[in-house]
Amino acid sequence: MRFLALAILFAGLFSCSQKESNILELPEYVQVFAIPEDNKLTVDKIELGRKLFYEKGLSLDSSVSCASCHIQTFAFADTARVSRGFRGDTGFRNSSSLTNVAFQTAFFKDGGVKTLERAVHPPVLSEFEMNMNVIEMKERLNNNPVYPSMFKVTFGREIDHKGIVDALASFQRTFNSFNSPYDRHLQGDESALTESQKRGLALFRSERLNCTTCHIEPLFIDNKIHNIGLYEFYPDYGRGRVTLDSADYGKFRTPTLRNIAVTYPYLHDGSLPTLDAVLLLYQQGGVSHPNKSELIIPFTLSEAERSDLISFLHALTDSTFLNNPAFSNPNPAQ
Amino acid sequence: MKKLSLFLVLTIAIVLVTTSCEEVKDPVPQPINNSTVKIVFGLYNGNDSINYDDVIAVDNVNEYRMEFFKFYLSNFKIEKSNGDVVFLKDVVIANAADTGGMTFSFAAPEGSFEKLMIGIGLDSVLNASDPVSFPDEHPLSSAQSMYWSWATKYRFTRVDGKANESGTLGDGNDLLIAHHPGADEFYKVKDFVKPFTLVKGDTTQINIKMDVAKWFNGPGGIIDLPTEPQTHTAPSDYHIAVKYTENFFAALELM
């Protein structure tokens, strides 16, 4: 009898550990990100998060889901300058790519939110985006034939806001993109990059251009905010909107450059349509602003160099990530 | 078997020792909450009692009507004449749209008290709460629609509604009102000084007047509704939030 009890206990433990392991496959040159103690990754949670991510019922008029503005084929960004949300309303910022979002320690364009769990629910509640309220959201999910049982299996409890948030964050923690030509190059594949791309990588790493101070390899982020001199007067205060500190006006989080070729248009407001336009801004050193980063210094770039650099940026596109069926819409057509 | 017995004996001994230690550490008797203090907030326009969704005339506009009005109150305390302070409640949310939504009752010990102290808004600790971690009915829950997700802070007061400068509401010239002040620096404790006695088994009621007219014309300055219909405590409208907060504070007085 005692042996039977032990056998059941071990079987239970084994099945749990199976469910929680092997979810993340990261290359060895990437340091694993932290996962909150109260939101461990499990297969069930990720699957629930995936379903919720594509759930249009999370918007008040059932017109948009998270995936409406974070489109997989565009690295979970949007090609619209500013995405349309509830009733076709627009916000005022370009949709951020969710590529490798789990590695971020600052979220949103202004970097004001510090955890992924806190970052996933604002768009759902925002009147410009999904305009949902928590009570209505829970009621809808409770009336859905699938969600109550999925929550029960995943969390062992009824549907609640924390469960929704945790599941959405868990799904997004799997948005890991490390299979670009650049990654294969790092792993020793000499043919992964073209000659132009190799020259572009050398330029990217050069002191002359100084790109890597903020776009630190291999994630191409620094989890910091900077004013890059886009405007003399910023209609959007950036981090200053959160801190109410004028020293933060016009400061925005450094975005990843991974999959950058498909996340156009660029910058916090989507005001620059092409990588060429962004490079030109940096080349000219931006415009004058009291908060402009000292790192933004004009530099020269020949046409050939510009072409090499852009070619390298294209080598950061991970087509397996953009087409991975594990990230696709699991819901029947809505 | 012997080892198991020894283990059990040791465990029981440890539990007994730690329990008895706790009793020795805390000899001060806790006050017994055998009375109730009931705090009632009433809306006024000057000297006239109003319902929250009444159409009223206020400074600079012909008609003004609230459609949503919630606000946070926190750190309720009462103080005796000898300076002893009794803590009543950490946080409540007032909802003018609910019947009884601006009335709060707290258990308290009997005795004579000199003043009531209420934090208007949320202190920095409460303001840093995670709204997702609370059940829906909790004042700080995201279900209250008071959380500013982009700033990871709470609106201290949320007044949404409509106003009409010179015509009548609905004539096509309505102003959309959204006054949402909220920032750590806006938190302030208000003292309501008035002797009152709490009697064992009884409820003592304290009435507090909230004069809406003062929101728009108070010590913080005039809120010119036609040009200042909204504030979200953003850099561009922060000055309105400051005025509003100061006026809101002044609009509360004992009756």
Side-chain angles (χ1 to χ4, degrees), chain A residues 74-127:
Chain A
F74 301 116
F76 294 102
D78 191 355
T79 53
R81 182 172 168 173
V82 181
S83 303
R84 290 197 175 277
F86 172 74
R87 269 193 323 218
D89 287 355
T90 53
F92 55 99
R93 289 177 180 166
N94 178 250
S95 173
S96 294
S97 167
L98 300 179
T99 299
N100 298 330
V101 70
F103 293 86
Q104 288 177 213
T105 55
F107 300 85
F108 296 154
K109 297 288 188 189
D110 53 43
V113 172
K114 301 300 179 193
T115 70
L116 187 52
E117 277 70 15
R118 287 226 182 176
V120 297
H121 69 104
V124 180
L125 305 180
S126 163
E127 60 190 286

XYZ file of all heavy atoms in Angstrom, chain A residues 74-127:
415
model
N 4.339 39.862 -39.137
C 5.115 41.105 -39.006
C 5.819 41.135 -37.651
O 5.963 42.185 -37.028
C 4.207 42.327 -39.185
C 3.520 42.367 -40.519
C 2.146 42.277 -40.604
C 4.254 42.462 -41.688
C 1.505 42.285 -41.833
C 3.624 42.464 -42.929
C 2.247 42.376 -42.994
N 6.236 39.959 -37.215
C 6.957 39.821 -35.946
C 6.134 40.364 -34.774
O 6.654 40.986 -33.861
C 8.323 40.487 -36.006
N 4.856 40.126 -34.856
C 3.916 40.581 -33.823
C 3.937 42.097 -33.651
O 3.824 42.623 -32.539
C 4.144 39.848 -32.492
C 3.833 38.381 -32.579
C 4.862 37.444 -32.698
C 2.522 37.931 -32.595
C 4.574 36.088 -32.818
C 2.229 36.580 -32.720
C 3.258 35.658 -32.826
N 4.126 42.791 -34.773
C 3.936 44.239 -34.826
C 2.823 44.481 -35.854
O 2.112 43.543 -36.224
C 5.225 44.937 -35.227
N 2.682 45.711 -36.300
C 1.629 46.033 -37.268
C 2.214 46.976 -38.302
O 3.020 47.848 -37.957
C 0.455 46.703 -36.535
C -0.782 46.842 -37.400
O -0.715 46.502 -38.603
O -1.821 47.299 -36.877
N 1.815 46.826 -39.541
C 2.351 47.700 -40.594
C 1.626 49.053 -40.640
O 2.062 49.953 -41.350
C 2.231 47.036 -41.978
O 0.881 46.630 -42.162
C 3.163 45.842 -42.084
N 0.537 49.167 -39.891
C -0.133 50.472 -39.821
C 0.716 51.412 -38.962
O 1.333 50.976 -37.996
C -1.513 50.321 -39.191
N 0.715 52.679 -39.316
C 1.480 53.643 -38.508
C 0.976 53.611 -37.057
O 1.755 53.550 -36.123
C 1.324 55.033 -39.124
C 2.116 56.076 -38.394
C 2.099 57.399 -39.133
N 2.631 58.436 -38.263
C 2.869 59.671 -38.643
N 2.649 60.045 -39.880
N 3.343 60.550 -37.790
N -0.325 53.674 -36.923
C -0.962 53.487 -35.616
C -2.128 52.525 -35.819
O -2.977 52.762 -36.681
C -1.479 54.825 -35.029
C -2.120 54.586 -33.663
C -0.352 55.837 -34.893
N -2.158 51.473 -35.052
C -3.188 50.444 -35.241
C -4.566 50.963 -34.866
O -4.708 51.882 -34.065
C -2.867 49.227 -34.376
O -1.602 48.734 -34.675
N -5.563 50.320 -35.461
C -6.937 50.653 -35.113
C -7.453 49.660 -34.082
O -7.226 48.471 -34.189
C -7.830 50.611 -36.355
C -7.536 51.742 -37.317
C -8.647 51.958 -38.329
N -8.339 53.134 -39.152
C -8.599 54.380 -38.780
N -9.181 54.623 -37.635
N -8.274 55.387 -39.575
N -8.155 50.187 -33.099
C -8.690 49.329 -32.055
C -10.193 49.348 -32.042
O -10.842 49.361 -33.101
N -10.759 49.393 -30.845
C -12.198 49.409 -30.620
C -12.868 50.482 -31.483
O -12.411 51.617 -31.522
C -12.424 49.689 -29.122
C -13.842 49.939 -28.724
C -14.746 48.897 -28.653
C -14.257 51.217 -28.410
C -16.060 49.131 -28.270
C -15.567 51.461 -28.021
C -16.467 50.409 -27.951
N -13.911 50.109 -32.175
C -14.697 51.022 -33.023
C -13.837 51.742 -34.062
O -14.180 52.821 -34.540
C -15.405 52.071 -32.163
C -16.789 51.661 -31.733
C -17.556 52.811 -31.162
N -16.762 53.713 -30.381
C -17.166 54.307 -29.263
N -18.371 54.078 -28.816
N -16.400 55.140 -28.612
N -12.689 51.176 -34.361
C -11.817 51.792 -35.355
C -11.007 52.948 -34.813
O -10.311 53.634 -35.559
N -11.085 53.166 -33.496
C -10.311 54.257 -32.884
C -8.816 53.969 -32.983
O -8.394 52.814 -33.004
C -10.682 54.408 -31.400
C -12.053 55.035 -31.212
O -12.657 55.424 -32.226
O -12.518 55.123 -30.059
N -8.043 55.028 -33.000
C -6.595 54.857 -33.007
C -6.005 55.452 -31.735
O -6.534 56.413 -31.179
C -5.944 55.569 -34.214
O -6.374 56.926 -34.224
C -6.305 54.893 -35.510
N -4.902 54.863 -31.312
C -4.135 55.426 -30.208
C -3.183 56.463 -30.774
O -3.531 57.189 -31.712
N -1.982 56.487 -30.263
C -1.046 57.472 -30.793
C 0.363 56.910 -30.945
O 1.291 57.647 -31.218
C -1.045 58.735 -29.927
C -0.775 58.485 -28.466
C 0.491 58.687 -27.960
C -1.778 58.048 -27.616
C 0.753 58.463 -26.619
C -1.526 57.824 -26.269
C -0.259 58.032 -25.779
N 0.504 55.593 -30.756
C 1.831 55.004 -30.920
C 1.773 53.811 -31.862
O 0.753 53.142 -31.960
C 2.395 54.566 -29.564
C 2.774 55.728 -28.673
C 3.259 55.268 -27.323
N 3.617 56.412 -26.485
C 3.829 56.353 -25.187
N 3.738 55.192 -24.563
N 4.152 57.435 -24.504
N 2.905 53.561 -32.483
C 3.030 52.414 -33.370
C 3.080 51.126 -32.529
O 3.676 51.110 -31.448
C 4.320 52.585 -34.188
C 4.578 51.423 -35.111
O 5.504 50.656 -34.894
N 3.756 51.290 -36.127
N 2.465 50.083 -33.033
C 2.431 48.815 -32.313
C 3.842 48.225 -32.189
O 4.557 48.106 -33.176
C 1.513 47.860 -33.079
O 1.548 46.587 -32.532
N 4.219 47.850 -30.965
C 5.568 47.301 -30.731
C 5.650 45.858 -31.191
O 4.704 45.085 -31.019
C 5.900 47.331 -29.242
O 5.996 48.642 -28.777
N 6.809 45.481 -31.722
C 7.050 44.063 -32.015
C 7.177 43.309 -30.693
O 7.733 43.826 -29.723
C 8.348 43.914 -32.799
O 8.740 42.556 -32.831
N 6.638 42.092 -30.669
C 6.757 41.276 -29.457
C 7.880 40.253 -29.571
O 7.991 39.339 -28.738
C 5.420 40.577 -29.174
C 4.218 41.510 -28.957
C 2.942 40.702 -28.705
C 4.466 42.478 -27.805
N 8.724 40.412 -30.577
C 9.878 39.521 -30.724
C 10.706 39.517 -29.445
O 11.107 40.578 -28.959
C 10.781 40.005 -31.885
O 10.042 39.977 -33.102
C 12.022 39.134 -32.009
N 10.952 38.338 -28.900
C 11.786 38.179 -27.688
C 11.339 39.101 -26.548
O 12.159 39.594 -25.768
C 13.259 38.437 -28.006
C 13.797 37.442 -29.015
O 13.334 36.305 -29.065
N 14.743 37.857 -29.817
N 10.045 39.309 -26.442
C 9.514 40.250 -25.446
C 9.852 39.803 -24.014
O 9.954 40.626 -23.101
C 7.992 40.433 -25.646
C 7.212 39.182 -25.264
C 7.467 41.637 -24.890
N 10.058 38.504 -23.835
C 10.363 38.003 -22.489
C 11.696 38.520 -21.965
O 11.937 38.507 -20.757
C 10.378 36.476 -22.493
N 12.557 38.961 -22.870
C 13.876 39.449 -22.449
C 13.836 40.916 -22.030
O 14.825 41.443 -21.540
C 14.899 39.270 -23.578
C 15.201 37.829 -23.876
C 14.413 37.109 -24.759
C 16.256 37.175 -23.255
C 14.671 35.779 -25.031
C 16.528 35.841 -23.516
C 15.726 35.138 -24.410
N 12.715 41.542 -22.264
C 12.602 42.960 -21.892
C 12.378 43.090 -20.388
O 11.704 42.251 -19.763
C 11.418 43.604 -22.618
C 11.645 43.820 -24.094
C 10.433 44.389 -24.803
O 10.206 44.087 -25.959
N 9.648 45.210 -24.112
N 12.936 44.155 -19.833
C 12.647 44.480 -18.439
C 11.895 45.805 -18.355
O 11.638 46.319 -17.273
C 13.943 44.569 -17.611
O 14.812 45.501 -18.243
C 14.619 43.223 -17.507
N 11.588 46.345 -19.510
C 10.780 47.567 -19.590
C 9.855 47.404 -20.790
O 10.279 46.941 -21.840
C 11.676 48.784 -19.772
N 8.597 47.780 -20.604
C 7.605 47.503 -21.635
C 6.901 48.774 -22.083
O 6.941 49.792 -21.395
C 6.589 46.476 -21.124
C 7.237 45.175 -20.757
C 7.790 45.003 -19.494
C 7.358 44.154 -21.679
C 8.424 43.816 -19.153
C 7.994 42.959 -21.354
C 8.531 42.795 -20.086
N 6.247 48.662 -23.208
C 5.628 49.778 -23.919
C 6.731 50.669 -24.508
O 7.900 50.543 -24.174
C 4.683 50.593 -23.035
C 3.493 49.824 -22.547
C 2.853 50.173 -21.377
C 3.001 48.735 -23.261
C 1.744 49.470 -20.923
C 1.904 48.030 -22.816
C 1.285 48.386 -21.645
N 6.309 51.564 -25.369
C 7.288 52.418 -26.042
C 8.064 53.275 -25.043
O 9.213 53.608 -25.268
C 6.586 53.339 -27.044
C 5.884 52.621 -28.194
C 6.853 52.036 -29.181
C 6.108 51.509 -30.408
N 7.000 50.739 -31.297
N 7.397 53.633 -23.931
C 8.068 54.507 -22.972
C 8.795 53.727 -21.878
O 9.439 54.314 -21.015
C 7.084 55.492 -22.341
C 5.862 54.807 -21.751
O 6.029 53.756 -21.099
O 4.744 55.311 -21.931
N 8.687 52.409 -21.901
C 9.392 51.595 -20.921
C 8.913 51.791 -19.499
O 9.610 51.427 -18.547
N 7.726 52.316 -19.333
C 7.246 52.645 -17.994
C 6.721 51.460 -17.201
O 6.631 51.521 -15.983
N 6.382 50.392 -17.882
C 5.851 49.209 -17.206
C 6.980 48.180 -17.093
O 7.711 47.961 -18.050
C 4.648 48.640 -17.997
C 4.190 47.308 -17.435
C 3.500 49.641 -17.972
N 7.100 47.584 -15.920
C 8.306 46.791 -15.650
C 8.143 45.282 -15.719
O 9.132 44.562 -15.593
C 8.850 47.161 -14.254
C 9.198 48.639 -14.107
C 10.257 49.071 -15.095
C 10.588 50.549 -14.967
N 11.385 51.033 -16.105
N 6.935 44.789 -15.840
C 6.786 43.331 -15.962
C 5.840 43.020 -17.125
O 4.947 43.808 -17.440
C 6.208 42.671 -14.682
O 4.826 43.053 -14.551
C 6.981 43.076 -13.447
N 6.049 41.849 -17.701
C 5.204 41.443 -18.816
C 3.760 41.247 -18.351
O 2.820 41.587 -19.073
C 5.756 40.148 -19.429
C 5.113 39.641 -20.710
C 5.061 40.720 -21.786
C 5.868 38.426 -21.245
N 3.602 40.758 -17.139
C 2.247 40.564 -16.612
C 1.503 41.896 -16.550
O 0.316 41.964 -16.849
C 2.298 39.932 -15.214
C 2.449 38.414 -15.200
C 3.821 37.957 -15.655
O 4.740 38.804 -15.710
O 3.992 36.778 -15.972
N 2.211 42.950 -16.157
C 1.556 44.260 -16.070
C 1.375 44.889 -17.449
O 0.589 45.821 -17.607
C 2.365 45.196 -15.183
C 2.261 44.853 -13.717
C 2.006 46.093 -12.907
N 1.946 45.787 -11.493
C 1.817 46.707 -10.559
N 1.735 47.974 -10.881
N 1.752 46.374 -9.304
N 2.122 44.383 -18.408
C 2.050 44.984 -19.746
C 0.933 44.389 -20.600
O 0.481 45.028 -21.540
C 3.389 44.809 -20.462
N 0.485 43.184 -20.268
C -0.457 42.538 -21.184
C -1.900 43.012 -21.025
O -2.685 42.928 -21.972
C -0.418 40.992 -21.086
C 0.938 40.468 -21.492
C -0.786 40.500 -19.707
N -2.259 43.522 -19.874
C -3.680 43.858 -19.734
C -4.062 45.306 -20.092
O -5.217 45.554 -20.431
C -4.228 43.460 -18.362
C -3.729 44.243 -17.212
N -4.483 45.201 -16.608
C -2.561 44.225 -16.559
C -3.795 45.716 -15.615
N -2.621 45.156 -15.565
N -3.128 46.277 -20.069
C -3.534 47.632 -20.467
C -4.204 47.731 -21.834
O -5.225 48.410 -21.957
C -2.224 48.418 -20.415
C -1.414 47.712 -19.410
C -1.743 46.261 -19.574
N -3.682 47.052 -22.860
C -4.365 47.183 -24.159
C -5.798 46.664 -24.116
O -6.668 47.160 -24.821
C -3.505 46.331 -25.097
C -2.175 46.242 -24.427
C -2.462 46.242 -22.973
N -6.021 45.662 -23.279
C -7.375 45.105 -23.178
C -8.311 46.139 -22.546
O -9.462 46.291 -22.956
C -7.366 43.797 -22.347
C -8.768 43.229 -22.242
C -6.419 42.774 -22.969
N -7.809 46.890 -21.594
C -8.646 47.847 -20.865
C -8.681 49.230 -21.515
O -9.596 50.016 -21.266
C -8.145 47.987 -19.421
C -8.034 46.692 -18.600
C -7.523 46.992 -17.201
C -9.364 45.972 -18.518
N -7.693 49.530 -22.351
C -7.603 50.870 -22.937
C -8.810 51.195 -23.812
O -9.207 50.400 -24.667
C -6.325 50.975 -23.786
O -6.421 52.087 -24.647
N -9.340 52.391 -23.621
C -10.523 52.793 -24.399
C -10.202 52.962 -25.880
O -11.096 52.927 -26.726
C -11.104 54.087 -23.840
C -10.158 55.260 -23.869
C -10.691 56.453 -23.082
O -11.600 57.098 -23.579
O -10.161 56.717 -21.985
